[in-house]
Amino acid sequence: MKKYILSILVILFTLNTNQSFSQEVEKDTIIPVSLQEVVVSTPFKESLKNNVTRVDKLSLSDINLTNSPVISFDKIRGVSSLSTGQGVLKPVIRGLYGTRVVTFSNNIRLENNQWGDDHGIEVNPFGTQSIEVIKGPMSVLYGSDAIGGVVYISPDSFVDGSPQVEFGSLYNSNYSGLTNNLGLKGSVGGINYIFQGSYVDNGNFSSPEEEIENTFFENTDFKAALGYSSSKFISELRFNYFETTIGIPHSEEEHDDHDDHGDDDDDDHGDDDDDHDGDHDDDHEEEEESYQALENTSISWKNTFIFNDKSELEVTIGHTLNNRKEYGDHGHEEHDDHGDDDDHGDDDDDHDDEDHDDEDHDEDHDEEHSEAAMDLDLNTTSVDLKYVFAKTEKTEFVIGGSFLSQENKNYAEEELVPDAKKNDFGIFGLAHFHGKVWDIMVGLRTDYRRIQKRQFDETYGSLTSSLGLKTDLGNSGILRINYSTGYRAPNLSELFADGVHHGTARYYVGDQNLGEEKSSQIDFSISTFTSSSEFGLDLFANSLKDYIYLNPTGEEIDEMPVYNYAQDDANIFGGELYYNRQSSLDWLSYETSVEFLRGEKSNSDVLPFIAPLSLKQSFNLEFNNSSFELEAVLKGKKENVAQFETKTDSYFLLNLSGTYDFEFLSNDLKIGWSINNLTDKLYFDHMSRLKTMGIHEMGRNISVGINYQF
């Protein structure tokens, strides 16, 4: 590993000696668009540069052209992806994931992680404009669960004028994957509109050694939006239907016992659910392969009222229906991992006799439900209010509140989580004070969450706060220091598990007495820049009180070792170091970053899914109408691991990509290509749930994509 680091540093030194730093410093010259872009995940509509809280933003325009049809977060420093094959990628922010990270899409919260901590985010990148990530507790703005951070996914913006059509197609060689996208934007009679559709058909992926069976991935996505804007009123109505089937590899034993309850700590839960899938072909049905079918239907209506004093009232109403079905012969004797034995059956009986009729399902839907081994709905309704006071030269204020109502229902014999209801309510206030060279932001919020289940009714809540300082370092740098607190209520799995986790051959026991997790984090961020370079260092320390984890008891039930959910204090600390430079050659620039992370409980046991030391180096070549990027990624060895994890060796990857723009029939045509894992490296990724099954990562993959707008 030292050899690789030394080689890269030598390259950087050589490039640096060919040029000198500019003495004439200008802000925002390194990445002008990025630094000046407005942040939508925080309330004061500040630019990235002026925001007190450090926010990382990633545009998806070029990435979508040459990448997988699943949103990856690895391009954002401090964020990794927890993967289960090609179809499931979930963000891990500085060692925290699942219900510890709040995800927003189409202006409302995504809540499917309430089923378990191993679900993908179920968002198709087509029709997605950008991703913003806040690393650290943001319960002040987003309530319970935001103790790890926030992922805010911004949809495509509206355009005025005549219709614009966009067509895109992407082919991936490794898994014979084909993605087709078609979109229409425009306006008529003062109303803006967007219609976008996408279809993905991916076969099994291959490692450098072999094809991995039952790893196919299919997805259908449709988005529609209407918008209206005037000087006093802005409104946007958005609809999204997302449907996917995902296959999961397994041994015969794992297939017989598979059960997907995602636990926090790892499990390899084959995971977890996110990943069973579809009849990619007739052979799957004949072999009775397990697969998962997921549907996510959401609608949101966001309205902004602008008053004469320039204050604003923002009201967002949203509703989401998540449905999950799991098919296949699991061989479960009694799959009840989640929920008390004594009332699970009662819930099912009541549900079959009454609840199912209460839902507006027709007979066809009833028959469809009966075919799945596991079948559940998650209905979520939310209302968010935010009032931004008129801005003065020195101050800005915002107050707001949020309400969320959620109901989980089972329709099949097996239960992932029990039937339950959840209600959230919270109010908050934030103040932003401006000085000549400094800014201060102070926030306070109170929340409560009520979870109801047969013979269980509990309320959780907490008071959270934030304090941030940003100061300019002359004209050549920015310093940020932020302190924030957050909380997370236990999820249904942690509270009610009581049964065999077949995927890991363990018996899990929940604890209805679990309390809230609480987080306190301090962040330090400094960045300096010249006209041709940028250097930055981000450091953090996160103290977690009553962190929930799985603990072996040493006992056995039905010849299975017993693990119970327990709580202990934990600490996570680390940071990111980065350096970007424009060389003396106008067409050449490069970026270097190092990420390091450590997490452990109070007894010094390591936390799960702590990403290894990472070094990334990229070289970017920009010409008139074409661009090229060579990316080198070095991941360190991971020997100090959590109790449920396997060790992984270090590895080195090379990725190559490029784009070419030209005019075709008087319109813009863009061609993109990429070669990932250029050397066809055989390796295990520490953040993969498939590595414990001996499944290596994807081998060389060649992608070719086109995008045509007219």
Side-chain angles (χ1 to χ4, degrees):
M1 180 174 176
K2 291 181 179 179
K3 178 179 68 175
Y4 292 125
I5 294 176
L6 181 61
S7 300
I8 292 175
L9 292 177
V10 169
I11 295 173
L12 292 177
F13 178 77
T14 302
L15 291 173
N16 281 333
T17 58
N18 293 327
Q19 57 188 350
S20 60
F21 284 96
S22 171
Q23 299 301 314
E24 210 171 301
V25 176
E26 292 181 39
K27 278 188 178 181
D28 309 332
T29 55
I30 306 304
I31 316 174
V33 175
S34 296
L35 289 179
Q36 293 294 344
E37 277 191 302
V38 173
V39 174
V40 297
S41 55
T42 58
F44 295 115
K45 298 181 179 179
E46 302 282 359
S47 67
L48 286 170
K49 182 192 71 173
N50 293 327
N51 209 64
V52 174
T53 302
R54 172 63 186 264
V55 180
D56 292 279
K57 191 166 185 173
L58 176 67
S59 173
L60 295 185
S61 56
D62 289 339
I63 294 176
N64 289 343
L65 190 63
T66 60
N67 213 357
S68 163
V70 179
I71 294 178
S72 176
F73 303 91
D74 292 349
K75 292 276 186 187
I76 302 175
R77 290 184 295 271
V79 184
S80 54
S81 296
L82 178 60
S83 67
T84 309
Q86 59 170 319
V88 180
L89 295 176
K90 72 184 302 89
V92 183
I93 300 179
R94 290 173 168 175
L96 298 176
Y97 66 100
T99 53
R100 297 183 174 99
V101 173
V102 168
T103 302
F104 261 69
S105 180
N106 277 349
N107 304 316
I108 57 176
R109 286 176 62 140
L110 294 179
E111 285 289 289
N112 58 321
N113 277 315
Q114 297 297 329
W115 284 335
D117 289 335
D118 306 295
H119 291 271
I121 60 171
E122 298 181 19
V123 175
N124 189 295
F126 183 65
T128 297
Q129 183 170 290
S130 63
I131 299 174
E132 294 178 10
V133 174
I134 305 174
K135 293 173 287 191
M138 279 304 289
S139 293
V140 164
L141 277 177
Y142 294 98
S144 178
D145 302 346
I147 66 172
V150 176
V151 175
Y152 198 101
I153 303 172
S154 298
D156 262 356
S157 56
F158 295 104
V159 297
D160 294 320
S162 57
Q164 298 180 12
V165 178
E166 179 180 4
F167 170 76
S169 186
L170 173 68
Y171 175 77
N172 286 278
S173 66
N174 185 284
Y175 41 86
S176 299
L178 185 63
T179 300
N180 289 308
N181 305 314
L182 183 63
L184 175 67
K185 297 181 183 179
S187 63
V188 58
I191 303 297
N192 300 99
Y193 59 84
I194 297 176
F195 300 98
Q196 297 166 322
S198 179
Y199 178 69
V200 179
D201 185 11
N202 292 347
N204 297 328
F205 77 84
S206 298
S207 74
E209 290 186 336
E210 60 183 346
E211 177 181 317
I212 311 301
E213 296 295 330
N214 204 37
T215 56
F216 61 90
F217 170 67
E218 297 177 355
N219 173 239
T220 301
D221 182 79
F222 174 74
K223 296 180 175 72
L226 297 174
Y228 172 81
S229 178
S230 70
S231 61
K232 298 295 184 181
F233 178 64
I234 303 172
S235 180
E236 57 181 278
L237 178 67
R238 294 185 180 270
F239 171 84
N240 187 196
Y241 173 77
F242 179 98
E243 183 273 331
T244 188
T245 54
I246 308 170
I248 266 294
H250 49 72
S251 67
E252 289 301 320
E253 296 80 13
E254 287 167 336
H255 180 61
D256 291 341
D257 294 328
H258 184 71
D259 113 285
D260 6 356
H261 309 353
D263 53 44
D264 258 50
D265 264 310
D266 147 352
D267 305 80
D268 332 63
H269 199 212
D271 268 63
D272 289 346
D273 342 274
D274 287 273
D275 334 274
H276 281 62
D277 316 282
D279 313 325
H280 195 62
D281 54 45
D282 294 338
D283 292 339
H284 288 288
E285 295 184 5
E286 294 173 4
E287 298 170 6
E288 293 187 302
E289 293 283 7
S290 300
Y291 69 94
Q292 187 174 29
L294 303 172
E295 291 185 9
N296 185 350
T297 305
S298 67
I299 185 169
S300 66
W301 190 23
K302 180 180 178 181
N303 297 282
T304 303
F305 304 87
I306 306 169
F307 303 103
N308 291 331
D309 63 351
K310 302 302 181 182
S311 63
E312 296 182 3
L313 174 64
E314 185 178 287
V315 182
T316 304
I317 303 171
H319 181 76
T320 303
L321 171 61
N322 293 97
N323 175 256
R324 178 192 166 192
K325 296 184 180 72
E326 186 171 319
Y327 297 86
D329 182 14
H330 297 271
H332 297 309
E333 294 179 5
E334 191 173 355
H335 181 84
D336 80 316
D337 286 32
H338 294 268
D340 318 291
D341 285 341
D342 46 349
D343 44 282
H344 239 337
D346 294 337
D347 287 346
D348 281 341
D349 292 339
D350 292 343
H351 184 73
D352 292 337
D353 295 339
E354 303 173 31
D355 296 342
H356 195 25
D357 294 334
D358 293 341
E359 292 294 315
D360 223 358
H361 298 303
D362 55 28
E363 294 181 2
D364 293 337
H365 190 63
D366 289 338
E367 293 175 4
E368 187 179 342
H369 275 298
S370 65
E371 297 174 359
M374 186 178 296
D375 187 349
L376 65 164
D377 284 348
L378 188 68
N379 274 284
T380 306
T381 301
S382 62
V383 179
D384 293 286
L385 303 172
K386 184 170 66 179
Y387 182 76
V388 182
F389 292 83
K391 182 179 180 180
T392 70
E393 184 180 353
K394 299 291 186 181
T395 60
E396 294 178 272
F397 296 96
V398 60
I399 58 174
S402 59
F403 171 78
L404 183 146
S405 178
Q406 188 175 94
E407 184 175 11
N408 178 81
K409 284 191 174 184
N410 288 273
Y411 297 95
E413 180 180 354
E414 299 178 17
E415 292 190 359
L416 177 63
V417 292
D419 293 357
K421 296 181 180 180
K422 182 180 77 175
N423 290 289
D424 285 3
F425 176 76
I427 55 175
F428 69 92
L430 282 166
H432 191 175
F433 303 98
H434 302 274
K436 289 185 178 180
V437 296
W438 54 263
D439 289 84
I440 294 176
M441 189 166 68
V442 182
L444 194 66
R445 180 181 180 116
T446 183
D447 283 280
Y448 94 91
R449 169 172 291 180
R450 183 182 183 186
I451 296 177
Q452 294 174 285
K453 175 189 170 297
R454 180 176 294 240
Q455 299 179 353
F456 182 89
D457 190 339
E458 190 68 37
T459 299
Y460 308 88
S462 183
L463 183 70
T464 54
S465 60
S466 65
L467 175 63
L469 168 69
K470 182 190 78 72
T471 184
D472 295 333
L473 303 176
N475 291 319
S476 60
I478 299 173
L479 172 67
R480 294 180 175 92
I481 301 175
N482 281 272
Y483 174 80
S484 54
T485 64
Y487 98 103
R488 182 182 78 96
N491 60 36
L492 297 179
S493 177
E494 295 161 342
L495 290 169
F496 305 118
D498 188 8
V500 176
H501 188 300
H502 296 274
T504 57
R506 304 182 186 121
Y507 195 104
Y508 287 163
V509 179
D511 186 351
Q512 299 185 15
N513 296 314
L514 292 174
E516 304 95 341
E517 290 181 344
K518 294 186 178 181
S519 162
S520 300
Q521 178 168 307
I522 186 166
D523 287 88
F524 172 88
S525 175
I526 185 171
S527 60
T528 62
F529 33 78
T530 71
S531 59
S532 60
S533 65
E534 180 184 15
F535 170 84
L537 175 65
D538 298 336
L539 299 173
F540 81 97
N542 192 354
S543 176
L544 298 162
K545 182 176 175 59
D546 293 328
Y547 178 88
I548 300 173
Y549 66 98
L550 282 168
N551 178 58
T553 66
E555 302 175 352
E556 288 189 356
I557 296 180
D558 297 333
E559 300 182 350
M560 297 287 185
V562 177
Y563 289 73
N564 63 2
Y565 282 100
Q567 292 186 291
D568 193 3
D569 296 342
N571 293 284
I572 305 176
F573 61 90
E576 303 90 40
L577 177 72
Y578 60 94
Y579 180 66
N580 307 328
R581 186 167 183 85
Q582 177 66 51
S583 78
S584 58
L585 304 172
D586 292 339
W587 47 268
L588 176 63
S589 64
Y590 59 88
E591 301 177 8
T592 307
S593 66
V594 179
E595 302 175 21
F596 56 98
L597 191 64
R598 184 175 178 85
E600 58 186 27
K601 299 197 290 283
S602 62
N603 62 1
S604 298
D605 287 346
V606 177
L607 296 181
F609 296 119
I610 299 297
L613 178 69
S614 174
L615 173 62
K616 296 180 182 178
Q617 176 66 55
S618 65
F619 297 92
N620 301 282
L621 289 74
E622 297 281 348
F623 302 100
N624 289 333
N625 56 352
S626 61
S627 65
F628 303 89
E629 181 185 49
L630 174 63
E631 180 187 51
V633 179
L634 175 62
K635 297 285 187 177
K637 181 182 292 187
K638 194 70 175 178
E639 292 187 321
N640 191 15
V641 298
Q643 195 167 11
F644 309 120
E645 294 184 305
T646 57
K647 300 178 181 180
T648 50
D649 292 328
S650 61
Y651 61 89
F652 180 76
L653 298 179
L654 285 175
N655 304 313
L656 187 63
S657 62
T659 62
Y660 180 65
D661 299 317
F662 62 98
E663 189 175 283
F664 179 74
L665 299 178
S666 301
N667 294 293
D668 294 329
L669 176 63
K670 178 179 286 188
I671 298 176
W673 58 271
S674 67
I675 307 175
N676 289 328
N677 193 1
L678 182 65
T679 61
D680 207 26
K681 175 71 174 180
L682 183 70
Y683 70 100
F684 291 110
D685 189 339
H686 187 71
M687 304 300 288
S688 170
R689 289 186 170 272
L690 301 184
K691 65 183 175 71
T692 57
M693 303 166 63
I695 296 176
H696 293 89
E697 293 300 300
M698 189 181 301
R700 183 185 299 112
N701 180 47
I702 301 174
S703 302
V704 179
I706 63 170
N707 183 273
Y708 186 55
Q709 297 182 3
F710 57 94

